[in-house]
Amino acid sequence: MSDVTGGEGRELRALMARVPSVERVMASAVFEPLIADYGRTQTLTMLRATLDAWRTDAQAGRASVDALTDTMLGHAVSLRLAKHTQSRVRSVFNLTGTVLHTNLGRALLPDEAVRAVADVLTRPANLEFDLDTGARGDRDDLVNDLICELTGAEAATVVNNNAAAVLLTLSALAPRKEVIVSRGELVEIGGAFRIPDIMSRAGAKLREVGTTNRTHLKDYDEAINAKTALLMKVHCSNYAVTGFTKEVTTAELAPLARERGLPVAVDLGSGTLVDLAQWGLPREATVRETVEAGADLVTFSGDKLLGGPQAGLIVGRKDLIAKIKKHPLKRALRVGKLTLAALEAVLRLYRSPETLQTRLTTLRLLTRPADAMRLAAERIQPALQRMTGDAFAVACEPMFSQIGSGALPVDVLPSYGLTVRLAGGKRAGGQLNRIEKKLRAMPRPVIGRIADGALWLDLRCLEEFDEAAFIAQLEGEGA
Ligand SMILES: *Cc1c(COP(=O)(O)O)cnc(C)c1O
């Protein structure tokens, strides 16, 4: 704090006396449109905050009286209002190359799901009401038949996410008992989901068998004892064990489980409902194949390869699903009507496999032809080059996208996009970060990634309908 008693203090007091009265500024012509747009209360709050900030600056010797004119105050307040009223949840351009990006909200939903959600948002719905009998219904019934039809399972239930599905399954079927899992399958997903932790939260005891790279059927066999409740398999969603390896498949494990009177649960993670190989994508066991291989329960996410809303699906044997649904955690982990409406709409698309590739957004993005992305790159290149300026070179280049969200971790999809490098082959230091930050600060933030001395903007997830908006935003930031 500076001394405010001497000459400096007098000066400061004189400066402070120049701060106009709030009432007068609010009554000025400049503030009329702000009050009309944002209302008196918010405008007044922001004017006070602006003046407080000016006073703080003045005390630090950093303020000028020029900032106190009505015009300058109007400008400052309007910036504050715009920032303050901007919603915190914002849509972005995902140019990371990761289609199912957990931090960017995973699967994008098709229009059918959007319409279904809008309907239940604004109108009452039969969430737990049986329209045939007029009696109370079960919310799972809205999607059960569809899930069973698409997976070949006897029964199903839906919870908040797949982590919840696993937690609930273990809590209901293995409290104070042992669950046998291969050491090669003790996954951690996104930092917070770890099989050993979920196991202890559920009150079950993890019984690890085999080694990281090799687990044999006899390892499971020898570990079974009177306290065993479940044999469990977990999909290695975000890593691959390669080389000298041995994994016991569900089909191999199921007969042993049956012989010993134990259920097999498989946490599939992504849980795709169709064979992706038909679209040239890497093959992944489908939920139906896993059920047919003898899994008694299968858990998977709604917003990974399935392409729906955040949800966790548990499918399998009727008696086991009934037991799971009776557990008190089911009530705590249940989904709301928005999720059910979106999930039903997405699942319905699977009934027409021939149109799935165009209608299911996730699949459409994963199978987008490289040519479409290359042409988009060529159309966008000039605008991005103008935005970044001569110090940078913007090029159209082939690159590789990822499916993301732990689906098929080692496979990459040939893609196309734009790269930004320092012009003249110079090594880029913090300057690329500046471009990356500028893109991220746009009204609709653009999210790319910096790697190997370049900023990479993968165009797989920028579909044609969004391209004009993307270019217009770049041009708005031009030169
Ligand atoms: C993704 C994943 C989960 C967690 O699913 P959420 O829907 O994100 O809760 C659990 N297990 C496996 C194997 C996964 O791949």
Side-chain angles (χ1 to χ4, degrees):
M1 267 283 135
S2 60
D3 172 19
V4 289
T5 53
E8 237 179 74
R10 252 193 315 281
E11 235 171 74
L12 183 58
R13 277 195 301 277
L15 200 53
M16 290 299 180
R18 304 283 291 273
V19 175
S21 97
V22 168
E23 288 71 32
R24 200 201 49 68
V25 179
M26 286 291 283
S28 73
V30 180
F31 273 66
E32 221 172 273
L34 293 180
I35 294 168
D37 281 356
Y38 297 99
R40 225 191 134 68
T41 310
Q42 292 201 94
T43 307
L44 185 59
T45 306
M46 292 305 145
L47 173 59
R48 289 205 165 112
T50 304
L51 293 174
D52 283 347
W54 185 90
R55 285 190 190 95
T56 307
D57 284 351
Q59 265 156 4
R62 288 189 266 106
S64 142
V65 287
D66 298 349
L68 296 177
T69 63
D70 290 350
T71 311
M72 292 302 277
L73 285 174
H75 182 66
V77 169
S78 107
L79 287 180
R80 274 181 193 265
L81 282 166
K83 184 147 193 230
H84 184 68
T85 51
Q86 181 174 56
S87 104
R88 296 296 299 265
V89 178
R90 290 166 66 192
S91 44
V92 303
F93 287 105
N94 171 13
L95 305 191
T96 61
T98 301
V99 177
L100 296 169
H101 198 299
T102 298
N103 305 137
L104 300 180
R106 288 197 187 157
L108 302 179
L109 297 199
D111 292 342
E112 287 82 354
V114 175
R115 282 196 296 275
V117 170
D119 265 357
V120 297
L121 267 173
T122 50
R123 301 183 176 97
N126 61 335
L127 180 63
E128 288 186 349
F129 186 84
D130 187 329
L131 293 172
D132 292 331
T133 62
R136 185 191 168 141
D138 175 346
R139 65 180 67 201
D140 276 338
D141 287 348
L142 299 172
V143 289
N144 272 5
D145 290 352
L146 199 46
I147 297 174
C148 293
E149 175 190 321
L150 296 169
T151 62
E154 285 173 14
T157 184
V158 183
V159 288
N160 181 61
N161 57 12
N162 189 32
V166 175
L167 177 68
L168 177 59
T169 300
L170 293 171
S171 304
L173 303 183
R176 290 179 302 280
K177 297 196 105 185
E178 290 183 5
V179 178
I180 303 176
V181 187
S182 160
R183 288 200 169 88
E185 299 176 5
L186 295 175
V187 309
E188 169 180 308
I189 295 180
F193 177 90
R194 294 171 137 194
I195 288 293
D197 296 346
I198 295 267
M199 201 71 81
S200 58
R201 277 285 144 207
K205 189 167 180 316
L206 171 65
R207 178 74 189 257
E208 301 173 28
V209 295
T211 60
T212 306
N213 60 328
R214 290 174 72 83
T215 301
H216 305 272
L217 191 60
K218 72 168 170 25
D219 294 328
Y220 288 93
D221 194 17
E222 286 164 11
I224 294 173
N225 63 61
K227 293 176 80 179
T228 309
L230 198 63
L231 307 186
M232 187 173 176
K233 278 188 62 62
V234 185
H235 187 275
C236 304
S237 293
N238 45 13
Y239 65 102
V241 183
T242 58
F244 185 56
T245 62
K246 169 80 181 100
E247 177 197 341
V248 179
T249 64
T250 304
E252 290 162 345
L253 197 55
L256 171 69
R258 200 139 308 140
E259 188 191 309
R260 308 294 288 264
L262 293 166
V264 178
V266 180
D267 177 18
L268 261 191
S270 278
T272 165
L273 296 181
V274 283
D275 183 0
L276 297 173
Q278 61 186 299
W279 294 286
L281 292 167
R283 238 199 76 77
E284 169 104 331
T286 65
V287 178
R288 180 184 291 277
E289 285 163 358
T290 309
V291 169
E292 280 170 0
D296 297 289
L297 287 169
V298 184
T299 50
F300 53 101
S301 292
D303 56 355
K304 292 185 180 173
L305 284 173
L306 193 150
Q310 180 189 305
L313 287 77
I314 312 175
V315 307
R317 250 167 59 191
K318 210 173 196 143
D319 58 325
L320 297 177
I321 295 287
K323 196 164 172 188
I324 285 169
K325 289 181 67 155
K326 274 202 214 91
H327 193 277
L329 264 185
K330 160 68 184 170
R331 173 65 174 77
L333 301 172
R334 75 181 186 188
V335 292
K337 59 185 179 176
L338 307 188
T339 302
L340 285 167
L343 183 61
E344 187 193 9
V346 169
L347 290 173
R348 277 184 190 285
L349 297 183
Y350 281 88
R351 281 183 166 163
S352 309
E354 52 287 338
T355 55
L356 199 60
Q357 192 188 7
T358 47
R359 291 163 80 196
L360 188 68
T361 313
T362 297
L363 188 58
R364 188 170 70 234
L365 293 174
L366 289 175
T367 58
R368 202 156 167 229
D371 253 4
M373 297 180 266
R374 184 176 53 76
L375 292 171
E378 284 164 10
R379 288 189 296 264
I380 296 167
Q381 192 274 344
L384 186 62
Q385 181 66 74
R386 273 195 296 279
M387 188 212 108
T388 59
D390 294 343
F392 296 91
V394 177
C396 306
E397 278 190 59
M399 49 188 72
F400 288 98
S401 314
Q402 293 189 10
I403 296 178
S405 277
L408 313 151
V410 286
D411 291 295
V412 282
L413 311 169
S415 185
Y416 225 93
L418 293 158
T419 55
V420 183
R421 291 188 166 83
L422 219 54
K426 278 184 259 169
R427 289 290 301 163
Q431 306 177 73
L432 273 182
N433 291 319
R434 188 169 59 76
I435 300 293
E436 185 271 341
K437 196 171 163 193
K438 191 169 172 188
L439 287 166
R440 191 157 38 81
M442 288 186 153
R444 184 167 160 198
V446 178
I447 317 293
R449 73 194 144 94
I450 291 180
D452 309 324
L455 171 63
W456 301 75
L457 302 175
D458 187 317
L459 295 181
R460 177 175 296 275
C461 297
L462 179 68
E463 291 200 272
E464 266 89 27
F465 66 85
D466 246 358
E467 195 180 304
F470 182 73
I471 293 175
Q473 178 169 268
L474 290 179
E475 312 229 278
E477 295 281 324

